[in-house]
Amino acid sequence: ETGVTQSPTHLIKTRGQQVTLRCSSQSGHNTVSWYQQALGQGPQFIFQYYREEENGRGNFPPRFSGLQFPNYSSELNVNALELDDSALYLCASSGTYNEQFFGPGTRLTVL
Amino acid sequence: QKEVEQDPGPLSVPEGAIVSLNCTYSNSAFQYFMWYRQYSRKGPELLMYTYSSGNKEDGRFTAQVDKSSKYISLFIRDSQPSDSATYLCAMKRPLNNFNKFYFGSGTKLNVKP
């Protein structure tokens, strides 16, 4: 059984650019959530995908968007990058709805 | 006021000590409680998961939930230098098909050899 994987590991972008981050969920898990973790803070919920539909969103603007594919893998897209978007982006998958297993994260730096 | 409060530390203890980590929360609807361990620049790793009130033990780790006080704890016995990490508490409401977790800001633990 493979765990949650994310790519890329690190990414450097400039303000105004767009970025796509990718996640493969743990085998058998059909729910994927995305979190943003700023330095020294706990993860903040961005949104969740269940069976290819977004079914919950945190306090993030529409320039944060996502997709989930039939194999339950997922993408997070961020448009018009701002300096404050610099953070560790975490993907988590769950199958029982109560436990979440996180991937290693993608560290995004916006210059 | 944040929904989940956690002392950021850092907490420094000698090897072999008993460590107590705590979180308080404000939303009485939270029913599921987790503790994660996060090493520097890595993703959080699930340590303990409890439902509602009570205790749960797993090896050197014990999780306690006191819903009447809105207070949860994680105890680590016989702490090891490899336990040095940031510990995050997380919790959620019992909504089916919706996994929004609310996290504390994390407590940084340093176990000295």
Side-chain angles (χ1 to χ4, degrees):
Chain A
E1 179 182 281
T2 57
V4 180
T5 60
Q6 292 186 243
S7 63
T9 305
H10 297 91
L11 206 50
I12 299 175
K13 292 285 189 178
T14 57
R15 197 168 46 181
Q17 285 189 311
Q18 178 266 343
V19 68
T20 297
L21 310 181
R22 294 179 175 82
C23 169
S24 290
S25 61
Q26 188 164 313
S27 176
H29 286 181
N30 57 16
T31 303
V32 172
S33 302
W34 286 92
Y35 289 80
Q36 180 195 67
Q37 187 177 22
L39 201 60
Q41 300 297 316
Q44 297 292 313
F45 178 80
I46 301 175
F47 46 54
Q48 175 183 292
Y49 278 82
Y50 172 65
R51 294 182 177 177
E52 302 178 57
E53 297 286 332
E54 182 184 307
N55 74 332
R57 193 176 184 92
N59 295 326
F60 282 82
R63 60 189 185 83
F64 286 78
S65 64
L67 284 172
Q68 188 179 31
F69 301 99
N71 66 354
Y72 303 132
S73 64
S74 178
E75 286 183 355
L76 165 65
N77 300 290
V78 187
N79 294 322
L81 284 167
E82 301 177 359
L83 298 179
D84 284 349
D85 295 334
S86 295
L88 181 68
Y89 287 86
L90 296 162
C91 169
S93 76
S94 51
T96 62
Y97 310 128
N98 299 320
E99 298 174 281
Q100 281 193 336
F101 298 92
F102 283 86
T106 293
R107 185 161 297 280
L108 173 65
T109 301
V110 182
L111 303 176
Chain B
Q1 181 191 8
K2 289 184 180 179
E3 298 213 51
V4 182
E5 298 280 358
Q6 186 175 8
D7 188 335
L11 182 61
S12 189
V13 301
E15 183 176 354
I18 296 175
V19 175
S20 173
L21 304 166
N22 311 294
C23 287
T24 59
Y25 62 94
S26 56
N27 191 339
S28 58
F30 289 142
Q31 293 275 9
Y32 298 96
F33 303 91
M34 282 77 171
W35 284 95
Y36 287 86
R37 177 174 62 195
Q38 187 173 28
Y39 292 111
S40 181
R41 296 181 173 270
K42 302 290 185 185
E45 170 195 7
L46 181 64
L47 281 177
M48 299 287 286
Y49 154 67
T50 52
Y51 170 69
S52 196
S53 285
N55 295 357
K56 184 174 183 178
E57 187 173 323
D58 184 2
R60 296 186 296 113
F61 299 91
T62 299
Q64 287 186 350
V65 175
D66 182 348
K67 290 196 68 186
S68 62
S69 301
K70 299 192 183 69
Y71 188 88
I72 69 170
S73 301
L74 177 71
F75 298 95
I76 307 174
R77 291 182 298 281
D78 187 25
S79 56
Q80 303 294 310
S82 59
D83 294 329
S84 298
T86 296
Y87 289 80
L88 296 158
C89 63
M91 47 200 78
K92 73 179 286 281
R93 294 173 290 170
L95 297 174
N96 285 340
N97 301 337
F98 187 48
N99 267 343
K100 180 178 181 180
F101 279 68
Y102 296 80
F103 281 84
S105 57
T107 298
K108 190 168 184 178
L109 172 66
N110 180 32
V111 181
K112 298 174 292 185

